[in-house]
Amino acid sequence: TEARNAIGLYSYFAGLVHLAAVIFFLKNRQDWMSGWLILFFTPVMALYAGYVESYSMARALIFTTIVSGWTAINQRASRARNLWVVAAAATAAIAVLHHLLAGLMLPALIYLVWQISNRERKTFLRLSLVAGLTGICIISAVYLGFLFSSHSGLVFAESHVGTDGMMPAGKLLSPR
């Protein structure tokens, strides 16, 4: 495909991220049939059809954050449970990098850590510190990358901002 339409492929990749999160969520569940409603019968699925914006990946990562938190809260206290909390913080940070609206998940993430720490202050502070530093490190690394690359003379004039809102399916399959 043409370089200006490549961002549409990113939307398809976001759809794959969403699909993987739904399959993981439905794994070993009795009500797995109702889960397909999450996947196919929501209007937000249009975001994964070549939509040329950052919303598609932000939406997929927000859902992945929810699934990570759900998995953490439904496990017994263990190292794996804490790792799921850190995974939720990491996916939330990456979602914030795609769209700041994902930052609204912060109160829910704090409450998740509070619940998982069994309302013990020391455990809460330790787990909050690890999860928070994970998110801050991810956001800082990307910010510094953009800071240093902004002085490199990159030209964004022909980026996805100047293309149509949707990538036609025919362009994905066409030889040009």
Side-chain angles (χ1 to χ4, degrees):
T1 109
E2 296 176 20
R4 66 180 181 192
N5 293 323
I7 192 74
L9 296 175
Y10 193 62
S11 170
Y12 296 123
F13 177 71
L16 292 175
V17 170
H18 181 81
L19 177 65
V22 168
I23 289 171
F24 180 81
F25 179 71
L26 296 177
K27 184 179 74 166
N28 301 325
R29 293 184 57 94
Q30 297 284 339
D31 60 344
W32 66 270
M33 291 285 288
S34 63
W36 290 108
L37 296 174
I38 297 170
L39 185 58
F40 292 113
F41 296 103
T42 57
V44 77
M45 291 307 293
L47 289 175
Y48 307 128
Y51 188 69
V52 184
E53 285 287 344
S54 60
Y55 304 116
S56 51
M57 187 58 82
R59 165 54 168 96
L61 290 168
I62 288 170
F63 186 72
T64 304
T65 302
I66 292 168
V67 170
S68 298
W70 181 268
T71 303
I73 217 160
N74 286 310
Q75 287 189 352
R76 283 186 241 112
S78 66
R79 178 173 163 78
R81 183 182 198 184
N82 293 344
L83 288 175
W84 278 110
V85 172
V86 173
T91 55
I94 298 169
V96 165
L97 291 170
H98 284 86
H99 200 282
L100 288 177
L101 180 67
L104 295 174
M105 289 188 298
L106 184 60
L109 290 170
I110 293 169
Y111 185 71
L112 171 70
V113 173
W114 180 248
Q115 288 297 316
I116 285 181
S117 66
N118 295 323
R119 298 183 173 112
E120 294 176 8
R121 190 175 196 183
K122 187 176 180 181
T123 307
F124 172 73
L125 291 174
R126 183 181 51 79
L127 192 53
S128 294
L129 181 66
V130 172
L133 284 175
T134 299
I136 289 169
C137 285
I138 290 170
I139 291 172
S140 297
V142 173
Y143 175 76
L144 288 172
F146 276 114
L147 179 67
F148 292 127
S149 70
S150 67
H151 300 291
S152 66
L154 293 174
V155 178
F156 295 103
E158 295 187 22
S159 69
H160 71 280
V161 176
T163 63
D164 295 330
M166 295 288 283
M167 180 178 165
K171 285 200 175 205
L172 178 66
L173 304 173
S174 69
R176 287 187 146 226

